Amino acid sequence: MESDKNNRFYDLRQFVNGEVNTVYEYVMLGVVFINIVSLGVETSQNISAGFRQILFWIDQVCLWSFVFELGLKIVAYNKDFFGEYRFDGDGGKKKFHINKWNISDLIIVVVTFFSSLSFFSVFRVFRIFSWAKNIRSLRIITSFKIVNKFGQLRSIFNAILNRAIPALAGTFFFLAVFTYTYAIIGTNIFAKEFWNFFGTLGNSVLTLCQIMTLDSWVSEIARPVIQTYPFAWIYFISYTFIAALVFMNFITAIFVDAIKDERKSKKQDRYNTKSVKDLSAQISELTRQIAELKAHLEKSEDTP
């Protein structure tokens, strides 16, 4: 955008935009991996016992590296850190587009920072920071920064968030109603003999969820029930066919289509960006030629 090009921080913004295409971004990606590995090593008491101090400093270096990266982004994006107004292609309407990658980075760094406060002895004198000891495990949230670093992961995330979830809303609602109906039927029929599986509505829903995932449902649930209720096979087969086969395949198809549409949209965006750049170059060339022609005409008028 022209407004961005006129911004003195435009070059810095291109440097920290999250695309792994600079030495700086590769270094930050390495920091993320190092932080993830160190947090994993800390879970093993036998391994971490002899390297506790080293792991502590690795954690702090990674933390302040993330804080530094966030500071650079805030400087680079300035007032556009949380989003910016852009003209859409349809009708040229100006809409506010949220920068969810910057917001996710902000949340990750803030949560990681506060969950690490308990490491500093200076904070231990304040009771207000005592809760930080209970959320140390939240530091692993930094692993989600990997999503920001890879374009393919961004595409998958966008496909799930912007395309798949809206399409799945109706599907999950229908599946919930379907499961609820079968749970009521199972509770009314099988509760007396099989209390653990169908004694309450909650037990019935949990049992149906196990059947939906095909987790040992035949040997553990279906066969014992069928021995007591011979016609129960109709109940189990009908639910398994509709819930586990039809719905699960339908949900898979939604995710596949969402990722396919997202990649197609991203490809179209790259094409549009290239077209805009080509058009801008042509306009600049025409402007230069017009200026030269105007100067030539003015020179001709001054010549007697």
Side-chain angles (χ1 to χ4, degrees):
M1 294 184 352
E2 291 297 324
S3 60
D4 286 336
K5 292 182 179 180
N6 293 330
N7 194 315
R8 61 177 179 173
F9 298 117
Y10 179 73
D11 292 337
L12 181 59
R13 182 181 300 190
Q14 298 301 110
F15 190 70
V16 296
N17 61 2
E19 297 292 339
V20 186
N21 52 9
T22 63
V23 176
Y24 169 77
E25 291 290 352
Y26 279 109
V27 171
M28 292 307 304
L29 181 61
V31 172
V32 173
F33 277 114
I34 292 173
N35 187 241
I36 294 174
V37 172
S38 66
L39 292 175
V41 172
E42 285 185 13
T43 61
S44 174
Q45 296 295 331
N46 295 331
I47 299 177
S48 63
F51 303 95
R52 195 172 303 277
Q53 193 66 22
I54 296 176
L55 292 174
F56 165 77
W57 286 113
I58 290 177
D59 180 74
Q60 295 307 306
V61 169
C62 292
L63 172 62
W64 290 106
S65 297
F66 298 147
V67 173
F68 174 75
E69 180 190 30
L70 179 64
L72 278 183
K73 283 190 173 183
I74 292 175
V75 172
Y77 283 88
N78 203 354
K79 62 181 181 180
D80 296 332
F81 180 82
F82 294 100
E84 59 185 346
Y85 284 96
R86 294 201 301 265
F87 288 98
D88 290 341
D90 299 333
K93 295 181 179 179
K94 192 175 183 180
K95 295 177 62 177
F96 185 78
H97 293 260
I98 297 175
N99 193 326
K100 52 183 171 292
W101 304 113
N102 286 349
I103 295 175
S104 66
D105 263 353
L106 176 63
I107 295 174
I108 290 171
V109 172
V110 169
V111 172
T112 305
F113 181 80
F114 279 101
S115 63
S116 300
L117 290 179
S118 58
F119 289 127
F120 294 92
S121 58
V122 67
F123 289 113
R124 294 174 184 171
V125 298
F126 300 102
R127 291 182 177 272
I128 191 173
F129 293 110
S130 60
W131 57 271
K133 298 179 180 179
N134 300 322
I135 61 171
R136 284 181 57 185
S137 59
L138 290 180
R139 289 178 298 150
I140 194 58
I141 198 175
T142 54
S143 61
F144 289 104
K145 287 179 69 66
I146 294 178
V147 176
N148 293 8
K149 300 297 183 183
F150 288 104
Q152 291 292 335
L153 293 181
R154 283 191 177 191
S155 297
I156 295 174
F157 183 83
N158 283 331
I160 295 174
L161 186 64
N162 300 328
R163 302 178 186 273
I165 290 181
L168 288 173
T171 304
F172 279 128
F173 177 77
F174 187 79
L175 180 60
V177 173
F178 180 77
T179 301
Y180 180 76
T181 302
Y182 264 74
I184 293 176
I185 296 173
T187 302
N188 291 332
I189 298 177
F190 309 126
K192 184 177 180 181
E193 299 293 336
F194 299 93
W195 180 266
N196 290 336
F197 293 142
F198 298 97
T200 64
L201 184 62
N203 288 347
S204 297
V205 171
L206 184 61
T207 299
L208 292 177
C209 288
Q210 180 179 348
I211 294 174
M212 188 190 309
T213 59
L214 305 178
D215 180 21
S216 304
W217 68 278
V218 175
S219 59
E220 294 183 3
I221 302 173
R223 291 190 186 280
V225 174
I226 292 174
Q227 289 178 357
T228 304
Y229 299 94
F231 293 99
W233 66 270
I234 300 176
Y235 175 85
F236 291 110
I237 294 299
S238 61
Y239 180 81
T240 303
F241 177 79
I242 297 175
L245 299 180
V246 174
F247 274 108
M248 292 301 104
N249 282 298
F250 185 70
I251 291 172
T252 302
I254 290 176
F255 278 107
V256 172
D257 287 342
I259 294 175
K260 182 179 178 181
D261 291 342
E262 177 64 25
R263 289 178 176 174
K264 184 179 179 180
S265 176
K266 190 173 182 180
K267 184 178 180 180
Q268 184 64 34
D269 289 341
R270 286 198 298 265
Y271 174 79
N272 293 338
T273 301
K274 184 179 179 181
S275 299
V276 170
K277 289 181 178 179
D278 292 341
L279 181 60
S280 178
Q282 293 176 11
I283 293 174
S284 298
E285 180 63 20
L286 287 174
T287 303
R288 185 186 65 81
Q289 293 178 4
I290 292 173
E292 290 180 355
L293 180 60
K294 183 178 179 180
H296 180 72
L297 290 175
E298 291 176 350
K299 184 177 180 180
S300 299
E301 292 177 354
D302 294 338
T303 302

